[in-house]
């Protein structure tokens, strides 16, 4: 028996050593290891695939092979990973990717340099190699750190399976020193079925936390729920140097039972688009929220983070409670094994939505907000007769019932409602009957809309249309189009110039939900006699500011794709890029250069469009879009003063130029 135990431990030790979990890892840098981002952290509509390691705001640190292996791929691109190196390590059963390098080292650098020279280009390489072409040994210098593709200076360190599925480097023992506990911000309770109620509202609610110690938070109050709800938690980690990144694992325990656990260890590029269904996209993009993680699992989620938990895991309903309340704990730890927990209680309630309420009770109420979720649409109304100074506790008491609402054909529907003397909320199912609108008496609650389900469809107004392909949405939604401003202001300023508007400002809702695949948005410009390439689609934020969205021309219309709604307008871009001389310096790849700062009010600078001369002789140009600079290479032997002429185009085809005389 003892020999069997020893054999078992030997097998376990061997497996762990093979994965690098017990062996001391060989980091790719010999400087102090300090990360600026983590594996699988929220990056909008995708996950981050590796670790970003700081390089002291400097380029040129040696990058070492972490194990024996061979270079399987090398790429040189203007954007993305820039100089990217891929090394297969059979002993680790893993592939390593280094991104944003200054250059490669040894035979692979010579090979790539010859390829670029033959192409007469500075990028555009993507080569794959067999195991005997460029073998490497553990500890060998394979490259030097840089900022190519995307800056600032850092090393992107990524580990993958041989199927190119990203894996957390911590699974191989790569854990930067971290003694700082994650920060927890707020708890959110969201409805997970039609008609669910949270603290007397059909809307999701936010709850503050009380920090007891660096590792323990308590919920400031106990949410009262009815129906199916889900919890979200805002959390992020840091190493105290200003960066915000993700965590390693998190779980939810309610009534002593673990409902769900997420371990951020591996995913595939095919399902990285599911990021906004693990992290709440809109809340995570706000300031002061951390990364807001869903502690529940949608049925269409195929990520392995919660692979042992079935669809809808984490959902809490009235049957989940033991009695009238349910204690819960959310536990999480970062990649430095610093654990934090949030403790609280949920309480349950019941509501009577079968009790009729007379519609004339709401004659003084008016619609103020339409709030969609994946399970319905909530209409919020306020009472114009409400007086906060004279209101009593009885006036503010939430009551429930159902009220008669008419659709465009005059049919009556009984709609659940929650109300007091201050406001009224109504919960609508996302159904075809509301396509023409909904009325409470003479009050328009829902404007003209279009119920979209998994079959897709198209919604259109005069000059604006949205096309949903099949399976764009998993749950039916009510899509709405609204012309918000038929005569919008031109974009820009007196100093920069103005971009003339050639459409109304259109609003496409829902603008607070993420679709599973892209929808196609088309806008028709007003009559226009110029070059249609001068017209672009611009996103309009809540403050009325414009930013270029991107577009394609299609039969006189402009179109783009998006996974969420928003406000949009067409503007004409006749303003060329602005160019100013910045400095003279020695670029680590280009050599002796003049740098010119570029900016563009409209569709953006075409960074590789630069044309330059120095003292009348043609000079090579290159660019760094991250630094928003165009570089003019200084030929050897040319004498001062230098008369430099540089022209740069934007994506609307406007050309900006500068003439500079440089004396030193």
């Amino acid at each position: 028996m003892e020999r069997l135990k020893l054999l078992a431990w030997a097998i376990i030790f061997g497996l762990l050593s093979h994965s690098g979990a017990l062996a001391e890892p060989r980091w790719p840098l010999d400087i102090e290891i300090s990360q600026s981002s983590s594996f699988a952290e929220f990056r909008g509509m995708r996950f981050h695939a590796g670790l970003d390691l700081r390089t002291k705001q400097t380029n040129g640190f040696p990058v070492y092979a972490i194990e024996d292996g061979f270079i399987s791929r090398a790429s040189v691109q203007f954007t993305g990973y820039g100089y990217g190196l891929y090394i297969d390590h059979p002993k680790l059963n893993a592939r390593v990717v280094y991104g944003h390098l200054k250059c490669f080292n040894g035979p692979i650098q010579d090979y790539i340099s010859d390829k670029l020279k033959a192409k007469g280009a500075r990028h555009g390489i993507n080569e794959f190699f067999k195991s005997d072409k460029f073998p490497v040994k553990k500890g060998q210098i394979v490259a030097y750190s840089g900022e190519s593709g995307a800056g600032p200076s850092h090393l992107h360190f990524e580990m993958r399976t041989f199927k190119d599925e990203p894996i957390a480097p911590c699974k191989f023992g790569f854990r930067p020193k971290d003694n700082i506990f994650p920060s927890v911000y707020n708890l959110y309770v969201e409805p997970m079925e039609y008609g669910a109620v949270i603290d007397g509202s059909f809307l999701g609610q936010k709850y503050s936390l009380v920090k007891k110690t660096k590792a323990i938070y308590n919920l400031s109050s106990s949410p009262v729920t009815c129906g199916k709800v889900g919890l979200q938690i805002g959390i992020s980690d840091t190493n105290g140097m200003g960066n915000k990144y993700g965590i390693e694992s998190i779980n939810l325990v309610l009534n002593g039972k673990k409902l769900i656990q997420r371990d951020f260890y591996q995913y595939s590029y095919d399902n990285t688009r599911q990021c906004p269904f693990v992290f709440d996209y809109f809340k995570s993009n706000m300031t002061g929220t951390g990364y807001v993680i869903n502690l529940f699992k949608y049925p269409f989620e195929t990520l392995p983070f919660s692979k042992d938990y079935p669809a809808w895991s984490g959902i809490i309903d009235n049957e989940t409670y033991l009695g009238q309340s349910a204690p819960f704990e959310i536990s999480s730890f970062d990649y430095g094994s610093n654990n934090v927990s949030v403790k609280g209680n949920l309480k349950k309630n019941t509501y009577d939505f079968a009790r009729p309420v007379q519609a004339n009770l709401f004659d003084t109420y008016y619609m103020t907000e339409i709030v969609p979720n994946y399970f319905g649409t909530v209409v919020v109304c306020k009472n114009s007769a409400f007086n906060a100074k004279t209101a009593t506790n009885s006036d503010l008491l939430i009551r429930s019932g159902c009220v008669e609402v008419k659709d465009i054909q005059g049919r009556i529907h009984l709609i659940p409602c929650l109300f007091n003397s201050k406001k009224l909320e109504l919960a609508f199912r996302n159904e075809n009957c509301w396509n023409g609108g909904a009325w409470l008496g003479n009050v328009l609650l829902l404007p003209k809309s279009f119920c979209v389900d998994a079959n897709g469809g198209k919604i259109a107004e005069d000059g604006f249309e949205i096309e949903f392909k099949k399976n764009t949405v998993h749950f039916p939604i009510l899509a709405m189009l609204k012309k918000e401003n038929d005569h919008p202001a031109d974009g820009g300023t007196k100093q920069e110039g103005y971009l003339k508007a050639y459409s109304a400002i259109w609003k496409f809702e829902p603008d607070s939900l993420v679709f599973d695949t892209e929808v196609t948005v088309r806008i028709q410009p007003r009559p226009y006699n110029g070059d249609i390439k001068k017209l672009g689609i611009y996103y309009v934020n809540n403050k009325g500011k414009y930013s270029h969205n991107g577009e394609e021309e299609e039969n006189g219309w402009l179109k783009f794709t998006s996974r969420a709604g928003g406000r949009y307008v067409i503007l004409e871009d006749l303003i060329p890029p602005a160019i100013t001389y910045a400095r003279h310096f020695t670029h680590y790849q280009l050599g002796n250069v003049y740098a010119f700062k570029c900016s563009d009010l409209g569709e953006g600078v075409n960074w590789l469009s630069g044309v330059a001369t120095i003292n009348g002789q043609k000079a090579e140009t290159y660019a760094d879009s991250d630094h928003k600079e165009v570089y003019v290479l200084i030929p050897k032997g040319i004498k001062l003063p230098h008369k430099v002429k540089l022209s740069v185009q934007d994506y609307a085809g406007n050309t900006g130029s500068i003439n500079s005389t440089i004396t030193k």
Side-chain angles (χ1 to χ4, degrees), residues 337-354:
S337 299
N338 301 299
N339 184 79
V340 293
S341 67
V342 175
K343 298 180 180 180
N345 277 280
L346 300 176
K347 296 181 180 180
K348 73 176 179 181
N349 200 355
T350 57
Y351 294 87
D352 182 6
F353 292 119

Side-chain angles (χ1 to χ4, degrees), residues 328-629:
F328 70 88
E329 181 174 2
I330 300 167
S331 297
S332 176
F333 56 87
D334 61 20
Y335 291 98
S337 299
N338 301 299
N339 184 79
V340 293
S341 67
V342 175
K343 298 180 180 180
N345 277 280
L346 300 176
K347 296 181 180 180
K348 73 176 179 181
N349 200 355
T350 57
Y351 294 87
D352 182 6
F353 292 119
R355 183 176 65 88
V357 180
Q358 295 301 313
N360 59 11
L361 182 65
F362 307 115
D363 284 347
T364 55
Y365 290 69
Y366 59 97
M367 189 272 287
T368 59
E369 189 178 13
I370 298 174
V371 183
N373 61 49
Y374 288 119
F375 309 101
T377 297
V378 179
V379 175
V380 181
C381 301
K382 289 186 178 180
N383 186 1
S384 60
F386 177 74
N387 188 331
K389 293 181 179 180
T390 61
T392 65
N393 290 336
S394 177
D395 291 328
L396 298 177
L397 181 68
I398 297 292
R399 291 177 283 171
S400 62
C402 62
V403 66
E404 292 184 353
V405 174
K406 293 182 180 180
D407 63 26
I408 195 171
Q409 297 183 11
R411 295 173 298 190
I412 293 176
H413 305 260
L414 293 177
I415 301 299
C417 63
L418 296 163
F419 63 96
N420 58 19
S421 296
K422 183 178 182 180
K423 70 173 185 175
L424 163 71
E425 291 183 8
L426 302 103
F428 289 82
R429 294 185 187 276
N430 295 331
E431 298 175 320
N432 287 322
C433 61
W434 307 120
N435 285 356
W439 286 262
L440 175 63
N442 294 321
V443 177
L444 178 65
L445 297 177
L446 285 174
K448 181 181 178 181
S449 49
F450 180 72
C451 185
V452 182
D453 58 21
N455 292 316
K458 183 184 289 188
I459 176 171
E461 292 288 346
D462 183 25
F464 190 85
E465 64 181 39
I466 313 291
E467 182 178 356
F468 294 82
K469 296 180 180 178
K470 283 191 174 183
N471 300 318
T472 297
V473 296
H474 292 285
F475 307 108
I477 63 168
L478 290 180
M480 305 174 195
L481 299 183
K482 180 181 179 182
K483 186 186 288 187
E484 285 204 333
N485 187 343
D486 200 26
H487 301 286
D490 297 337
T493 65
K494 185 176 181 180
Q495 292 75 23
E496 297 175 298
Y498 293 96
L499 308 180
K500 185 178 179 181
Y502 271 86
S503 78
I505 292 178
W506 290 94
K507 185 177 182 182
F508 160 38
E509 293 181 312
D511 58 356
S512 57
L513 299 178
V514 176
F515 312 132
D516 194 42
T517 60
E518 285 78 3
V519 301
T520 300
V521 182
R522 296 181 179 89
I523 308 178
Q524 186 178 38
R526 287 173 173 150
Y528 183 67
N529 295 322
D531 182 357
I532 198 168
K533 292 181 180 179
K534 303 290 185 183
L535 300 181
I537 297 176
Y538 290 73
Y539 174 77
V540 187
N541 70 14
N542 290 331
K543 296 181 179 180
K545 299 294 184 181
Y546 300 152
S547 58
H548 184 240
N549 184 83
E551 70 289 313
E552 295 179 20
E553 189 271 334
E554 183 184 78
N555 300 323
W557 290 56
L558 299 182
K559 72 172 185 178
F560 68 97
T561 59
S562 175
R563 292 185 65 189
R567 295 179 179 86
Y568 304 96
V569 66
I570 291 178
L571 301 179
E572 179 190 39
D573 181 5
L574 299 177
I575 300 177
I579 310 171
T580 57
Y581 173 68
R583 69 195 191 284
H584 165 234
F585 76 108
T586 302
H587 188 276
Y588 68 83
Q589 285 180 331
L590 306 176
N592 221 8
V593 301
Y594 292 127
F596 291 83
K597 291 285 185 183
C598 297
S599 63
D600 186 62
L601 178 63
E603 297 187 21
V605 176
N606 180 350
W607 293 104
L608 297 177
S609 67
V611 176
T613 60
I614 297 180
N615 293 345
Q617 299 180 33
K618 185 177 180 181
E620 183 183 354
T621 63
Y622 203 59
D624 186 333
S625 59
D626 253 18
H627 292 163
K628 302 187 184 304
E629 292 181 328

Side-chain angles (χ1 to χ4, degrees), residues 95-158:
R95 174 172 294 143
V96 170
V97 183
Y98 300 119
H100 314 303
L101 301 167
K102 172 182 176 180
C103 60
F104 309 129
N105 184 55
I108 182 63
Q109 175 62 28
D110 296 337
Y111 178 89
I112 294 298
S113 293
D114 290 343
K115 283 278 184 177
L116 289 172
K117 186 176 181 180
K119 285 171 62 74
R122 294 194 175 273
H123 60 266
I125 298 290
N126 188 27
E127 294 269 336
F128 293 82
F129 311 106
K130 294 184 178 179
S131 58
D132 58 348
K133 182 72 172 179
F134 297 111
V136 300
K137 289 291 186 181
K138 182 177 181 178
Q140 178 181 329
I141 298 175
V142 293
Y144 292 91
S145 67
E147 56 182 318
S148 60
S153 303
H154 71 286
L155 176 67
H156 177 83
F157 172 42
E158 179 180 340

Side-chain angles (χ1 to χ4, degrees), residues 12 198 261 333 406 422 643:
I12 293 171
I198 304 155
Q261 179 165 322
F333 56 87
K406 293 182 180 180
K422 183 178 182 180
K643 293 184 178 180

Side-chain angles (χ1 to χ4, degrees), residues 51-64:
L51 298 181
D52 284 341
L53 302 179
R54 289 188 177 87
T55 55
K56 301 182 179 182
Q57 301 179 349
T58 303
N59 301 317
F61 286 102
V63 177
Y64 300 90

Side-chain angles (χ1 to χ4, degrees), residues 78-94:
F78 179 62
T79 56
Y81 285 160
Y83 271 70
L85 194 64
Y86 301 69
I87 303 178
D88 286 11
H89 297 290
K91 289 183 181 179
L92 299 177
N93 196 30

